Amino acid sequence: MAQEDPGHCSPVDALGGLGPLARQLNQVHNRLWHERVHQDVTGPQFTVLSLLDAHGDMDQGTLGALARLDKSTAAPLLERLRRRGLLDITRDAGDRRRKVVSITEEGRRLAIR
């Protein structure tokens, strides 16, 4: 009698694995996000506001790295939040090349809500 390859999984085996569980978790997350948050901010915007609320002011490069945003995404995202009055962007007094980002009271209230 032929032995089964222990490394071989059938398509039916995959139905009980982590993939379907991850998909279900993602569906629940998306539903809750759309019900409770989505009309106010996007996921990356919420991440930025939450990081600033938790850690205080920081330079744009550090914030982008913590939020896992590349430079081409971070700059326009921060500018949109600034125009909405949710954060302030200023030049670092010690190094004029650096931009320092800080959350406003309105941004803090939104992140908490």
Side-chain angles (χ1 to χ4, degrees):
M1 182 142 98
Q3 290 185 348
E4 267 190 48
D5 177 6
H8 175 74
C9 293
S10 73
V12 173
D13 294 332
L15 294 176
L18 291 177
L21 185 59
R23 181 186 51 77
Q24 288 175 330
L25 180 60
N26 188 48
Q27 286 175 332
V28 170
H29 173 267
N30 287 336
R31 180 178 51 80
L32 291 172
W33 185 268
H34 285 284
E35 286 175 3
R36 298 182 182 179
V37 181
H38 125 343
Q39 59 273 24
D40 295 326
V41 291
T42 65
Q45 290 172 341
F46 178 75
T47 298
V48 164
L49 293 173
S50 297
L51 285 168
L52 290 169
D53 182 53
H55 301 289
D57 301 355
M58 65 183 81
D59 68 89
Q60 186 172 331
T62 301
L63 179 57
L66 287 174
R68 301 199 189 323
L69 300 171
D70 59 50
K71 287 181 182 181
S72 64
T73 303
L77 182 147
L78 294 174
E79 181 56 27
R80 284 191 295 277
L81 291 172
R82 187 197 63 75
R83 282 194 313 263
R84 289 179 60 192
L86 302 175
L87 55 81
D88 290 320
I89 303 172
T90 58
R91 293 276 177 195
D92 186 323
D95 182 350
R96 302 290 297 158
R97 295 170 296 177
R98 287 180 48 188
K99 292 181 181 177
V100 176
V101 185
S102 56
I103 192 168
T104 63
E105 282 307 312
E106 185 178 346
R108 183 168 281 113
R109 282 192 300 271
L110 177 61
I112 292 169
R113 190 185 78 218

